[in-house]
Amino acid sequence: MSGDQNNKNEKLLDYLKWVTADLKKARDRVDELESSRSEPIAVLGMGCRYPGDVSTPDELWRLALDGVDAITEFPADRGWDVDAMYDPDPDASGKFYSRHGGFLSDLKGFDAEFFGISPREAAAMDPQQRLLLETTWEAIERSRMDPRSLRGSDTGVFVGVMYTGYSVDGTATNTEGHVMTGMLTSVASGRLSYVLGLEGPTVSMDTACSSSLVAIHHAVTALRGGECSLALAGGAMAIPVPDGFVEFSRQRGLAPDGRCKAFAAAADGTGFSEGVGMLALARLSDARRLGYPVLAVIRGSAVNSDGASNGLTAPSGPSQQRVIRQALASAGLSPAEVDVVEAHGTGTRLGDPIEAQALLATYGRSRPDGEPLLLGSLKSNIGHTQGAAGVAGVIKMVLAMRHGVVPRTLHVDEPTPAVDWSSGAVELVTENRPWPVTGRPRRAAVSSFGVSGTNAHVVLEQAPEPETEKESAPAVKSPGVVPVVVSGRSVEALRVGAGRVAGLVEGGAGLVDVGLSSVVSRSVFEHRGVVLAREGVGAVAGLRALEAGESSTAVSGVGVVSGVVGEGRTAFLFTGQGAQRAGMGRELYE
């Protein structure tokens, strides 16, 4: 063989090697893109406010588990003339025939100074904006992150929020210049990104009652598409004016007693409520790599529209079936691999039978013997929180999977006879029951359907086991004396915080975990208190002392921390600049 031929063969071989390597890179990239489109999304942390004085996800879980009915008479702090507007006649113009609903106990309460907002601006803000700020901050902290550490990040914000009718007279209240931004729903998400300094996609969306679940779907899509590495998603609903009750009374869609009797023969309408819920989300691979907690994962989600159906506001069974199948395809699951559905379940005579039939036609078919789909609705406890309903269902299901219990649905005399329940394996849960044992991960789905015609369905799965020992939480040996730091932007806030931390310890939270979290995953502010304790009883005593404004040693300037820690506790209170100079922060654990 000639030298020229050898050279040609070598060049051809080099070219083939280059092409092969290039093709492998292309295939790897395609595989990576395909994998990212279906990667589970981790739920890192949650925050919420709901009727029944619920201010944390754990409190919402306890409410559902205990079967609490959180519906009350209309609140007295809204300025509503209930007696003048109430009329039991459904045809009475300008009146409502129900005087019950689910309400937040402190809708006006808001620590504006904490968020750097002036009292004038706070007064002009729709309560939904205030609620979103509070619960978003809490969701981030429960993800073991300092909210202030996210400044400048590509974190996305996806908020479901509806028009509420909130308004203020800027001239009379001296809030001119803040009224417009206080009312705009677009600012509900924008204010979160502004206050926290987030630079990822920021979107407010109103699809009525499906708003928060639609927001979660779009957050999942953005995370998988690489638009953001962390997402905050959820929704809010406040009821500052009673107009919605009047309008729905004309449609005869309200339950006279304000209670949602989901899928029950006694169903006689829905009951409106208010609330807010927010989730912190990240790709599962990122959560594992960075050591974030994983409460559950979102396997798949879908959104669609009724289109030209049998009415603008009427639900569409075929569209609900389609969105369920789309979400299952997104999750890579069959209907029989989902155990529980947290339904939209508003308690209306029209909507509930349509939803039940859609579930029977999808989840109810081809299930293993003895494994019916379990069906429930949190609305039977707290009412229909509209723009915050979907995220409430997600929080309930995340905690139900973690605890292994399916809470009961209230107010069910018997399943509605408007549905042929024998057409599929679907069972309405009317008593608390253990989560089904199937030999595979626990899975649940959540539905939301908006009066806009926009439907959403999300498929959840219990948190996966750590892949390596490194991902497992290490056993922490108590150092003997554990410092628990509480801080706030005012002395009053510090005292309130001390009481909350005391409640955690009293509830069984580990002292070392509480102490570490108090300085690692919480913002540390200028007013600070520290309790040194060897055990939980001593920690509670010290925290209660801080809550009451007492301390064994008070330092107003630069001082030396001293004291004897024995069977009890020593509490130190630092305020203002003295606390900053005393350095009561992460260095206590370093």
Side-chain angles (χ1 to χ4, degrees), residues 474-483 510-513 515-516 533-536 589:
V476 179
K477 184 179 180 181
S478 173
V481 176
V482 177
L511 182 58
V512 174
D513 289 339
L516 183 63
R534 295 186 186 278
E535 30 66 39
Y589 276 87

Side-chain angles (χ1 to χ4, degrees), residues 126 128 161-166 183 185 206 237-238:
D126 186 320
Q128 294 179 143
V161 62
M162 298 168 60
Y163 172 74
T164 66
Y166 181 77
M183 308 296 179
T185 54
D206 179 1
M237 181 64 204

Side-chain angles (χ1 to χ4, degrees), residues 439-461:
R440 51 169 170 72
R442 295 169 182 160
R443 297 191 183 104
V446 181
S447 288
S448 281
F449 310 122
V451 71
S452 62
T454 302
N455 310 305
H457 197 70
V458 170
V459 180
L460 304 166
E461 185 174 280

Side-chain angles (χ1 to χ4, degrees), residues 23-36:
L23 286 173
K24 184 179 185 303
K25 288 180 181 178
R27 282 197 300 268
D28 290 345
R29 179 57 179 157
V30 169
D31 290 343
E32 181 184 342
L33 291 172
E34 289 296 327
S35 176
S36 67

